Amino acid sequence: MTMDSIEKLNTAIAMIEEARGVPLSASCVVHRGEMLEILQSARDFLPVDFLSAEAILQDRDRIIDEGRNSAEAMIATTREDVSRMIEQTSIVQAARDEAQRILDDARAVVEDERREVEAYIDARLATLEVILNKTLDAVARGRERLEGAGDNDVLSQLNSDR
């Protein structure tokens, strides 16, 4: 079974902890060959493990950077979208306000013009009424004259008959 450097070091530590102690000393007895073999094997795996660890760290840093960049891009896009939506809402509201103002102005102009037209028509009808009254008076006078002229003709005939 292949062990990586950490497992080899853990094995060496376990061997030293379980090794027989030398009486009246902090020293212990370990099998030199086994210990050297384990430590050399650990040393052989260290470069591979360090390269793997570096690759993992680089991948981690790259993934974190990509995630950060992606998050920043998403945030920027979202902010732009929100800004655009707010602006569009403002634009739409401004357009509605302007449309309402234009309609109100148009209604006011129409009302003013309607009053002016009604006043003009009333003035023209009043003038026409005066003219028609004068015409009716003239017609009535003319009819009266015609009626009176016939009497004058009858009177003048009577006078001529005498």
Side-chain angles (χ1 to χ4, degrees):
M1 179 174 160
T2 308
M3 291 196 237
D4 64 6
S5 58
I6 293 176
E7 289 175 351
K8 296 282 185 185
L9 291 173
N10 286 336
T11 303
I13 290 170
M15 282 179 67
I16 292 172
E17 288 174 344
E18 295 170 4
R20 199 173 28 149
V22 175
L24 301 171
S25 162
S27 300
C28 65
V29 177
V30 289
H31 191 277
R32 180 181 288 160
E34 285 181 30
M35 187 58 66
L36 285 174
E37 182 182 321
I38 291 171
L39 292 172
Q40 284 174 349
S41 179
R43 182 176 60 193
D44 292 342
F45 277 107
L46 278 174
V48 173
D49 288 344
F50 282 140
L51 290 175
S52 295
E54 284 180 6
I56 289 171
L57 289 174
Q58 287 174 353
D59 282 349
R60 180 199 68 177
D61 291 343
R62 182 185 50 79
I63 290 170
I64 289 172
D65 286 342
E66 286 176 4
R68 185 175 293 122
N69 291 339
S70 177
E72 288 172 2
M74 282 185 201
I75 289 170
T77 301
T78 303
R79 284 184 178 149
E80 288 173 8
D81 290 346
V82 167
S83 266
R84 195 174 317 111
M85 285 184 219
I86 289 171
E87 187 176 311
Q88 287 175 347
T89 302
S90 298
I91 291 170
V92 168
Q93 187 58 45
R96 285 182 180 148
D97 293 345
E98 181 65 14
Q100 187 61 47
R101 187 192 62 75
I102 290 170
L103 283 173
D104 292 344
D105 289 350
R107 286 184 182 118
V109 167
V110 165
E111 185 61 27
D112 289 345
E113 288 179 358
R114 184 187 60 77
R115 275 190 245 114
E116 287 177 18
V117 167
E118 286 177 356
Y120 173 78
I121 290 173
D122 187 53
R124 296 301 290 176
L125 287 174
T127 303
L128 182 60
E129 183 180 26
V130 168
I131 293 171
L132 287 175
N133 283 335
K134 286 181 181 179
T135 305
L136 281 174
D137 289 342
V139 167
R141 281 192 308 270
R143 290 182 74 199
E144 286 175 4
R145 280 188 195 159
L146 283 175
E147 285 178 14
D151 289 342
N152 283 341
D153 285 343
V154 171
L155 287 177
S156 63
Q157 283 176 0
L158 287 175
N159 285 337
S160 53
D161 285 342
R162 281 189 206 177

